[in-house]
């Protein structure tokens, strides 16, 4: 987690770094800090617990000026959020400052060694301060050499930005398993954890690879590999519009991103279906022979992306007739799954940096699986380490709660399932065409559904004062219930629980009381009667029921207190529509409860720690 940024160039770094940090706040925001150095000044370090605005207030009066600096926004791993634990951290001499994203696994060991050998005294509880002391212990007038030698001693994950008061004309950066990019500007060069941090200043980027070290000067960037040989890197030209990363008049990024779903789906589909209705998988070569030799597919992801995987399993098993197992990455990587070269491993990730998903991917790769990923962030680690990448074209997702990435992940999963089924010859032409046609009109249906906002706001008013909520559904509706429930709990802090509707009576129904909100997904035609029975069961215990169903089923749902009807569609693809009222419900409830919607407490957008 955490975000790092650095700048060396013509402009005053303070403004550049604060701007960059604001764009990275989604990666963590429990404290922030900045370190500057210049020929005239010794090292200046300022840091503050809380949001970046607190840091801004702290330095407002000082008018700090420098041409070289680094900054950090933190999501605590070692040590509580506090001024003391905020980055940057310095070495013993106070002349070297370090910002870090990642975790140094052997920090305790290194700390002991430093105390013993150098008499190091530490001011914080962080692993990063240990890294700063270690770099300092190797420093003999060459920062690059000291950083290199220190990284050789470390285990774990890192993206570092390092400056030194004795060499104010450079920033040294290094990467292992945590994201790091370099921005090439006309008036200087930058480092950052990701592209949006730099969009205001640059469009030309170097994507830094694992175990690489970078030396930035005002007019020069040099990249070195693990053997300290200089490497050539192609420039990556960013085509995103900076506006795409701004709120554009919406109150929050989350609601903006909910409304961007029709466009995101059009983009994700548009590039993949040709005029003849053939699916093009971005140059991914999956031949009939390839597909026939896969005897199992694992879909592995975390959180919302995992929920997209659950729908992916359903689609692939139904349309391509291959057994699929879906697992959360943090479990998958530490069990002993059966993997060989007949395994297809599909990772789903918005950020492409989730460490658990990346770890699972590496394990599957090592055991011979073919690796495919469904990723939103272009050039991210998961994308780069996969054999085949299928991008969701959702655009930058800033709100911590994932919305448009999820619906575009669903589109990708349907496209993959349709493609596989057709290639293998197990899917009828009729069903293939029908689903594809339905997918192409989904964005229009979604636009119609977004008009229901006012009705959903009324429902939110009935629910927002409750501290518990339940989500139920059957078949794919159960997977949508999991995602709807996660959305609600993460941004409104309501204790929300999702369960397959048929399981209610085996325990959970004990928690239903008078007025308890129950959100019932009832979009599956074949399962409607069964779900209606489950609605009656909770109604009989006094629940307040909000049902989501397809147009035409209102009569069967007369027991529900409120019903939102999604436009009619094939049951198979209803999740793309039925999630939208749940996203809006979570948003409206969180708003009524006065929550910080885009940056919920304890969460970060990109989870680059285990
Ligand atoms: C919830 C949410 C998280 C992410 C999860 C995986 O709204 O956003 O549950 O889905 O942390 O992140 P990615 O998709 O970046 O791998």
């Amino acid at each position: 987690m955490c975000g790092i940024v650095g700048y060396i160039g013509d402009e005053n770094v303070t403004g550049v770094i604060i701007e960059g940090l604001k764009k990275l706040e989604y990666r963590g925001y429990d404290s922030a800090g900045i370190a500057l150095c210049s020929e005239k000044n010794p090292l200046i370090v300022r840091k503050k617990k809380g949001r970046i605005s607190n840091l801004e207030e702290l330095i407002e009066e000082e008018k700090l000026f420098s041409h070289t600096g680094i900054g950090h926004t933190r999501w605590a791993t070692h040590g509580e959020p506090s001024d003391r634990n905020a980055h940057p951290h310095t070495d013993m001499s106070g002349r070297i400052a370090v910002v870090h994203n990642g975790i140094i696994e052997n920090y305790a060991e290194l700390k002991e060694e430093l105390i013993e050998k150098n008499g190091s005294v530490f001011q914080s509880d962080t692993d990063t301060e240990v890294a700063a002391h270690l770099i300092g212990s190797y420093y003999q007038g060459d920062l690059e050499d000291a950083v290199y030698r220190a990284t050789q001693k470390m285990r774990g994950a890192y993206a570092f930005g390092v400056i030194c008061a004795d060499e104010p004309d450079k920033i040294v950066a290094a990467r292992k398993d945590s994201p790091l990019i370099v921005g090439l500007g006309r008036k200087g060069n930058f480092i950052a954890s990701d592209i949006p941090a730099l969009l205001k200043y640059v469009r030309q980027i170097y994507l830094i690879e694992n175990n690489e070290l970078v030396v930035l000067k005002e007019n020069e960037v040099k990249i070195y590999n693990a053997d300290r040989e200089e490497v050539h890197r192609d420039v990556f030209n960013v085509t995103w519009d900076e506006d795409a990363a701004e709120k554009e008049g919406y109150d929050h990024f989350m609601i903006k991103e909910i409304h961007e779903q029709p466009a995101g789906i059009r983009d994700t589909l548009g590039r993949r279906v040709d005029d003849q209705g053939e699916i093009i998988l971005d140059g991914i070569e999956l031949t009939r022979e390839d597909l026939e030799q896969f005897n199992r597919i694992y879909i592995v992801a975390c959180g919302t992306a995992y929920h997209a995987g659950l729908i992916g399993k359903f689609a692939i098993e139904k349309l391509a007739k291959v057994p699929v197992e879906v697992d959360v990455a943090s479990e998958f990587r530490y069990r002993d799954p059966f993997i060989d070269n007949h395994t297809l491993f599909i990772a789903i990730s918005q950020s492409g940096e989730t460490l658990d998903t990346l770890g699972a991917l590496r394990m599957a790769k090592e055991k011979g699986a073919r690796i495919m990923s469904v990723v939103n962030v272009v050039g991210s680690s998961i994308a780069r380490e996969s054999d085949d990448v299928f991008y969701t074209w959702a655009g930058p997702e800033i709100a911590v709660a994932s919305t448009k990435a999820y619906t575009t992940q669903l589109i990708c999963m349907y496209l993959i399932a349709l493609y596989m089924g057709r290639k293998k010859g197990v899917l009828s032409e009729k069903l293939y065409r029908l689903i594809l046609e339905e997918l192409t009109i989904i964005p229009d249906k979604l636009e119609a559904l977004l008009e229901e906002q006012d009705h959903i706001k009324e429902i939110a008013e009935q629910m927002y004062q409750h501290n518990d909520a339940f989500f139920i559904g059957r078949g794919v509706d159960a997977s949508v219930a999991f995602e709807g429930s996660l959305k609600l709990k993460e941004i409104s802090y309501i204790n929300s629980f999702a369960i397959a509707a048929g399981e209610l009576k085996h325990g959970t129904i004990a928690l239903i009381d008078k007025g308890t909100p129950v959100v019932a997904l009832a979009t599956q035609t074949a399962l409607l009667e069964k779900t209606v029975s489950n609605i009656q069961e909770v109604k009989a215990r006094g629940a307040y029921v909000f049902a989501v169903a397809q147009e035409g089923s209102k009569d069967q749902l007369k027991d529900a207190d409120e019903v939102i009807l999604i436009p009619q569609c094939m049951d198979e693809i209803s999740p793309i529509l039925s999630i939208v009222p749940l996203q809006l419900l979570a948003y409206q409830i969180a708003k009524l409860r006065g929550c910080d919607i885009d940056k919920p407490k304890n969460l970060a957008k990109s989870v680059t720690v285990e």
Side-chain angles (χ1 to χ4, degrees):
M1 217 76 66
C2 307
I4 66 168
V5 65
Y7 172 65
I8 181 159
D10 222 25
E11 301 201 22
N12 182 14
V13 290
T14 316
V16 176
I17 286 179
I18 295 288
E19 275 297 315
L21 287 180
K22 282 183 182 164
K23 295 278 162 36
L24 289 174
E25 224 178 354
Y26 72 87
R27 300 178 66 86
Y29 36 82
D30 58 44
S31 58
I34 185 166
L36 313 172
C37 67
S38 68
E39 270 146 32
K40 290 188 206 117
N41 295 316
L43 202 64
I44 297 171
V45 179
R46 299 287 181 270
K47 44 199 199 172
K48 194 76 193 149
K49 182 179 168 185
R51 298 281 160 95
I52 289 156
S53 51
N54 296 4
L55 174 68
E56 273 186 293
E57 267 170 41
L58 176 77
I59 59 176
E60 203 178 6
E61 302 285 297
E62 283 193 271
K63 307 267 175 291
L64 299 173
F65 190 87
S66 163
H67 293 295
T68 309
I70 49 178
H72 189 268
T73 177
R74 180 170 187 251
W75 186 81
T77 56
H78 294 73
E80 52 166 20
S82 64
D83 291 356
R84 198 170 61 83
N85 286 329
H87 300 210
H89 290 284
T90 51
D91 73 328
M92 278 270 277
S93 72
R95 301 188 67 74
I96 292 174
V98 177
V99 287
H100 167 219
N101 168 32
I103 289 182
I104 309 301
E105 283 166 3
N106 59 337
Y107 86 104
E109 214 173 283
L110 294 170
K111 193 171 183 173
E112 240 170 68
E113 252 178 71
L114 286 161
I115 294 171
E116 224 168 81
K117 282 195 196 151
N118 306 359
S120 281
V121 179
F122 292 92
Q123 315 292 330
S124 77
D125 310 316
T126 65
D127 51 342
T128 306
E129 194 186 7
V130 176
H133 279 238
L134 191 63
I135 294 169
S137 74
Y138 286 121
Y139 187 69
Q140 287 177 337
D142 183 347
L143 187 62
E144 180 191 328
D145 188 61
V147 173
Y148 175 79
R149 290 176 65 191
T151 53
Q152 300 306 296
K153 293 268 283 181
M154 292 176 203
R155 282 201 313 274
Y158 52 78
F160 286 122
V162 189
I163 55 172
C164 175
D166 299 328
E167 298 177 72
D169 63 332
K170 66 168 75 151
I171 297 176
V172 177
R175 171 194 173 173
K176 182 174 171 282
D177 291 343
S178 296
L180 179 68
I181 60 158
V182 166
L184 307 168
R186 269 182 292 136
K187 292 181 175 175
N189 295 308
F190 304 75
I191 54 164
S193 295
D194 75 13
I195 295 171
L198 303 185
L199 277 183
K200 186 165 178 191
Y201 307 100
V202 295
R203 285 290 184 277
Q204 296 200 313
I205 300 285
Y206 286 147
L207 300 167
I208 304 306
E209 302 281 353
N210 255 348
N211 301 311
E212 285 182 342
L213 185 141
V214 191
V215 182
L216 288 96
K217 295 193 171 170
E218 185 174 340
N219 300 311
E220 178 186 277
V221 174
K222 289 194 170 176
I223 306 173
Y224 300 94
N225 65 17
D227 299 322
R228 301 192 74 181
E229 295 155 345
E230 192 176 342
V231 290
H232 167 80
R233 181 67 26 86
D234 289 336
V235 170
F236 177 72
N237 283 301
V238 182
T239 50
W240 297 350
D241 179 351
E242 199 196 336
D243 283 355
E246 298 296 338
K247 278 196 212 125
E248 287 170 7
Y250 286 97
D251 287 348
H252 299 93
F253 280 111
M254 182 180 178
I255 191 71
K256 172 178 174 254
E257 287 160 8
I258 289 173
H259 280 87
E260 283 172 346
Q261 292 181 106
I265 291 175
R266 278 192 192 104
D267 278 353
T268 302
L269 270 172
R271 305 175 188 219
R272 275 53 182 267
V273 187
D274 70 12
D275 298 343
Q276 270 70 51
E278 294 301 324
I279 294 171
I280 315 143
L281 285 189
D282 290 354
I284 297 175
E285 260 309 307
L286 270 182
T287 61
R288 185 175 182 144
E289 294 70 49
D290 286 339
L291 291 169
E292 271 165 1
Q293 60 106 14
F294 294 137
N295 53 21
R296 88 187 61 225
I297 296 177
Y298 288 111
I299 301 180
V300 177
C302 304
T304 288
Y306 166 74
H307 296 151
L310 295 175
I311 310 274
K313 169 188 165 76
F314 159 86
I316 294 173
E317 286 186 340
K318 174 156 186 155
L319 305 175
K321 315 273 182 245
V322 195
V324 180
E325 210 184 301
V326 195
D327 207 348
V328 286
S330 55
E331 287 299 313
F332 183 84
R333 61 187 296 202
Y334 294 115
R335 65 184 173 94
D336 201 7
F338 189 86
I339 301 172
D340 62 13
N341 52 6
H342 295 290
T343 306
L344 175 65
F345 175 97
I346 305 179
I348 308 180
S349 175
Q350 186 286 128
S351 62
E353 299 294 349
T354 303
L355 196 62
D356 280 321
T357 310
L358 189 58
L361 177 156
R362 286 177 180 158
M363 179 181 86
K365 198 172 186 171
E366 219 175 272
K367 293 187 173 178
R370 175 146 171 192
I371 311 291
M372 182 190 275
S373 61
V374 173
V375 173
N376 195 38
V377 177
V378 176
S380 55
S381 303
I382 291 176
R384 279 185 284 160
E385 295 193 27
S386 300
D387 298 315
D388 307 298
V389 189
F390 199 48
Y391 283 113
T392 46
W393 293 108
E397 192 179 63
I398 307 295
V400 165
S402 184
T403 52
K404 61 177 182 169
Y406 172 75
T407 39
T408 52
Q409 282 160 357
L410 293 186
I411 294 288
C412 288
M413 295 319 291
Y414 287 115
L415 289 179
I416 290 170
L418 286 169
Y419 179 93
M420 286 181 174
R422 186 168 171 81
K423 261 265 147 81
K424 281 180 71 184
V426 293
L427 173 63
S428 75
E429 183 68 17
K430 191 169 163 221
L431 190 55
Y432 173 86
R433 295 274 162 207
L434 257 175
I435 296 183
L436 210 52
E437 248 166 61
E438 281 269 326
L439 287 178
T440 48
I441 53 173
I442 276 278
D444 298 337
K445 292 184 176 175
L446 232 152
E447 265 155 11
L449 195 51
L450 286 166
E451 305 283 308
E452 293 279 355
Q453 254 193 110
D454 289 344
H455 186 183
I456 291 171
K457 203 166 162 200
E458 285 165 23
I459 300 169
E461 275 158 12
Q462 300 299 313
M463 289 175 63
Y464 82 100
Q465 282 169 321
H466 288 267
N467 286 327
D468 303 296
F470 294 85
F471 285 69
I472 59 171
R474 285 171 176 262
V476 281
D477 279 347
S479 308
V480 177
F482 291 134
E483 174 56 11
S485 170
L486 177 65
K487 282 295 85 88
L488 182 63
K489 79 176 80 163
E490 69 181 322
I491 62 166
S492 74
Y493 317 138
I494 287 178
N495 183 12
S496 160
F497 185 78
I499 185 165
E503 268 293 292
L504 259 181
K505 57 188 172 296
H506 298 290
T508 305
I509 202 162
L511 298 171
I512 307 294
D513 272 325
K514 192 162 185 299
T516 307
V518 175
V519 180
L521 278 295
T523 71
Q524 300 300 290
T525 322
L527 299 167
L528 186 58
E529 275 179 20
K530 304 269 174 221
T531 312
V532 167
S533 305
N534 299 128
I535 291 175
Q536 280 158 351
E537 283 160 18
V538 293
K539 271 310 290 178
R541 272 106 190 145
Y544 166 84
V545 175
F546 161 37
V548 177
Q550 287 201 44
E551 264 168 14
S553 32
K554 196 158 186 175
D555 286 351
Q556 285 101 312
L557 291 163
K558 47 187 181 308
D559 285 330
D561 296 274
E562 291 291 345
V563 181
I564 291 276
L565 296 173
I566 61 169
Q568 253 180 2
C569 62
M570 290 176 76
D571 285 6
E572 287 83 350
I573 62 159
S574 68
I576 315 170
L577 294 170
S578 58
I579 190 58
V580 175
L582 309 191
Q583 295 169 339
L584 289 169
L585 180 74
Y587 176 78
Q588 295 296 352
I589 289 179
K591 207 168 168 189
L592 287 165
R593 288 168 72 98
C595 299
D596 191 347
I597 293 178
D598 285 337
K599 294 184 187 117
K601 69 175 157 70
N602 304 341
L603 294 178
K605 183 70 182 160
S606 180
V607 187
T608 50
V609 294
E610 279 193 49

